[in-house]
Amino acid sequence: MSGILVLILRLFLSLALLGFLGYALYILWRDLKFHTQMVSPKLPPALLVRIHLEGNVFDAEITNPTTIGGRDSACDLHLPHDTVSARHIRFSHHHGQWWVEDLQSTNGTLLNEERIYVPTVITNGDEILCGEVAIQILGSKKTTDI
């Protein structure tokens, strides 16, 4: 009788040990997954803009956290017009918002008909003038993470 009791006790303790190890591995996996998500780079929401350039209108999507716009063909947002400086404006995403900054351009940058001198938050419906090129902010859409 005592042999059967010892066997049952050993089986119970073995199952308890397996349950504990399974639970510990689950907790470690969940914690590792959480920390991986915390340190993985997040892409900003894409900024949708409509560009009015010499009678032509075209839409663009800004997806980089920092995007330079200007007349130079090396700029991320190419604005081929004589009134636009080679490196005219910078769009950047930080603190959960999109910002626009004038890069000391010759003709300046206007945001809703007011000249900007410092980085300024932009929202849906804003209009940016780079020389004679108008950029209308259509909004942003969420992109997927890497």
Side-chain angles (χ1 to χ4, degrees), residues 102-115:
D102 181 60
L103 298 177
Q104 299 177 351
S105 60
T106 304
N107 292 323
T109 302
L110 301 177
L111 175 62
N112 298 327
E113 300 179 4
E114 291 186 30
R115 187 161 182 170

Side-chain angles (χ1 to χ4, degrees), residues 9 38 65 82 115 120:
L9 185 60
M38 292 297 291
D82 293 337
R115 187 161 182 170
T120 307

